[in-house]
């Protein structure tokens, strides 16, 4: 386990190495001074026995992005998590705070940080949002058998004017999966990305109402199979690589090995406990 400052030091070393190799491919991956720091920090810290502050993960304003099922008079959602796995979950436990931004008067300049974090990839790298409204469609697993069969009908695609075979997809179903359904990356609302499991009901534990997706916390904004979701600016001016991290992972988070953590809330009452789903 490392402290937040130690994790930031390790990240600075990796960024420096990436930039050095970008300028000169023959440059050393790591310098003697960097190696000394890494070896010192590799020892880590023992498990911390006691309460620790939660870590801010996202702060979203209704003026910027839709906040599904938000309470009346609320225009701000703050998401925090505990930076450690818990026995029943192999991911951080999250907490939601619905607020009115007008009522927030005392803002801490330096919020408390946990003394240790279980894994380096549970500390979000600060990022600014550039929200974009998009249209996505349900996972094929959520479609009826009839619709699934229609997705595989090449004639229907050609009649609709889609040249699915020019995208690198092997068949129409793959084209639909890559380019049209459940967009990758961080998002509010939208459809659930199934795959680790088949679609299952997600009733509210409090009242039994079927919950709806609120926020997806993603390990990356796109992957090799979903490059069509890649922003145009990233195609022309790519972000420098951080060694060992996909270029699409701006927050440097990793959910259960490159998956996503989706938070579902009760539309009847967002005050009811939310549901966490890894897919």
């Amino acid at each position: 386990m490392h402290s937040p400052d130690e994790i930031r030091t390790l990240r600075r070393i990796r960024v420096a190495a990436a930039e050095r190799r970008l300028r000169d491919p023959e440059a050393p991956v790591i310098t003697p001074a960097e190696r000394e720091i890494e070896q010192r920090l590799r020892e880590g810290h023992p498990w911390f026995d006691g309460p620790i502050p939660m870590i801010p993960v996202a702060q979203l304003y209704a003026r910027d992005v839709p906040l599904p099922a938000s309470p009346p008079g609320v225009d701000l959602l703050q998401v925090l998590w505990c930076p450690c796995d818990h026995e029943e979950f192999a991911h951080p436990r999250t907490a939601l705070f619905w607020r009115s931004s007008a009522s927030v008067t005392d803002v801490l300049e330096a919020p408390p940080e946990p003394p240790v974090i279980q894994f380096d990839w549970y500390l979000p790298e600060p990022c600014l949002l550039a929200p974009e409204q998009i249209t996505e469609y349900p996972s094929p697993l959520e479609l009826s058998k009839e619709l699934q069969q229609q997705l595989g009908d090449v004639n229907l695609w050609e009649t609709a004017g889609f040249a699915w075979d020019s995208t690198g997809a092997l068949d129409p179903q793959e084209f639909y999966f890559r380019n049209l359904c459940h967009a990758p990356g961080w998002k509010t609302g939208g459809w659930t990305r199934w795959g680790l499991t088949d679609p299952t009901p997600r009733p509210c534990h409090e009242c039994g109402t079927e919950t709806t997706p609120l926020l997806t916390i993603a390990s990356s904004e796109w992957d090799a199979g979903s490059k069509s979701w890649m922003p145009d600016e990233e195609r022309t001016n790519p972000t420098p690589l951080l060694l060992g991290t996909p270029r699409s992972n701006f927050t440097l988070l990793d959910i259960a090995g490159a998956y996503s953590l989706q938070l579902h809330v009760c539309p009847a009452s967002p005050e009811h406990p939310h549901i966490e789903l890894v897919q």
Side-chain angles (χ1 to χ4, degrees):
M1 304 179 75
H2 292 112
S3 71
D5 282 342
E6 289 171 341
I7 293 174
R8 295 182 186 109
T9 297
L10 291 169
R11 287 178 178 175
R12 284 195 294 269
I13 290 175
R14 293 165 190 159
V15 168
E19 293 177 345
R20 184 168 58 243
R21 298 276 290 180
L22 190 62
R23 292 192 301 267
D24 179 8
E26 301 299 322
V29 175
I30 188 170
T31 66
E34 292 168 345
R35 181 177 288 107
E36 181 180 348
I37 295 173
E38 282 201 344
Q39 289 175 345
R40 175 170 52 84
L41 296 183
R42 193 174 295 148
E43 298 177 5
H45 300 278
W47 189 267
F48 183 81
D49 187 13
I52 61 175
M54 302 185 84
I55 293 179
V57 176
Q59 179 166 268
L60 306 174
Y61 289 89
R63 65 173 183 260
D64 300 322
V65 295
L67 298 177
S70 59
V74 163
D75 65 346
L76 172 62
L77 171 64
Q78 294 174 321
V79 182
L80 289 80
W81 69 21
C82 171
C84 299
D85 289 343
H86 290 247
E87 289 185 4
E88 66 272 37
F89 298 101
H91 60 77
R93 296 303 309 274
T94 55
L96 306 181
F97 295 90
W98 299 95
R99 315 183 76 170
S100 168
S101 58
S103 67
V104 181
T105 54
D106 280 333
V107 179
L108 292 177
E109 292 185 5
E113 290 192 323
V116 291
I117 294 175
Q118 185 173 2
F119 300 112
D120 297 1
W121 49 89
Y122 285 172
L123 178 65
E125 185 70 13
C127 295
L128 292 178
L129 295 175
E132 179 183 3
Q133 187 172 9
I134 56 106
T135 299
E136 63 173 9
Y137 296 91
S139 164
L141 297 174
E142 293 199 73
L143 300 178
S144 66
K145 289 186 177 179
E146 179 183 357
L147 285 177
Q148 290 182 28
Q149 291 174 351
Q150 290 183 25
L151 282 181
D153 190 331
V154 176
N155 293 326
L156 285 177
W157 286 92
E158 292 177 346
T159 301
F162 283 95
W164 63 266
D165 54 348
S166 65
T167 65
L170 297 177
D171 53 53
Q173 289 98 331
E174 184 183 0
F175 172 81
Y176 177 85
F177 186 82
R178 284 186 181 186
N179 302 287
L180 298 179
C181 71
H182 50 57
W186 288 61
K187 64 184 179 183
T188 60
W191 294 92
T192 300
R193 184 184 181 91
W194 298 102
L196 278 179
T197 65
D198 287 340
T200 56
R202 293 146 289 165
C204 171
H205 298 318
E206 192 81 15
C207 66
T209 304
E210 183 71 6
T211 59
T212 58
L214 169 67
L215 174 68
T216 298
I217 301 170
S219 297
S220 64
E221 291 302 303
W222 66 86
D223 56 35
S226 62
K227 287 185 178 179
S228 65
W229 295 102
M230 185 178 183
D232 289 339
E233 57 268 25
E234 285 297 318
R235 300 176 192 272
T236 57
N237 187 27
T239 305
L241 282 171
L242 180 61
L243 288 184
T245 303
R247 181 158 53 84
S248 57
N249 185 356
F250 303 102
T251 60
L252 303 185
L253 297 181
D254 186 287
I255 305 296
Y259 288 98
S260 294
L261 175 63
Q262 192 164 43
L263 310 182
H264 294 77
V265 290
C266 176
S269 174
E271 302 300 331
H272 289 172
H274 65 282
I275 294 175
E276 299 168 331
L277 176 69
V278 172
Q279 289 289 332

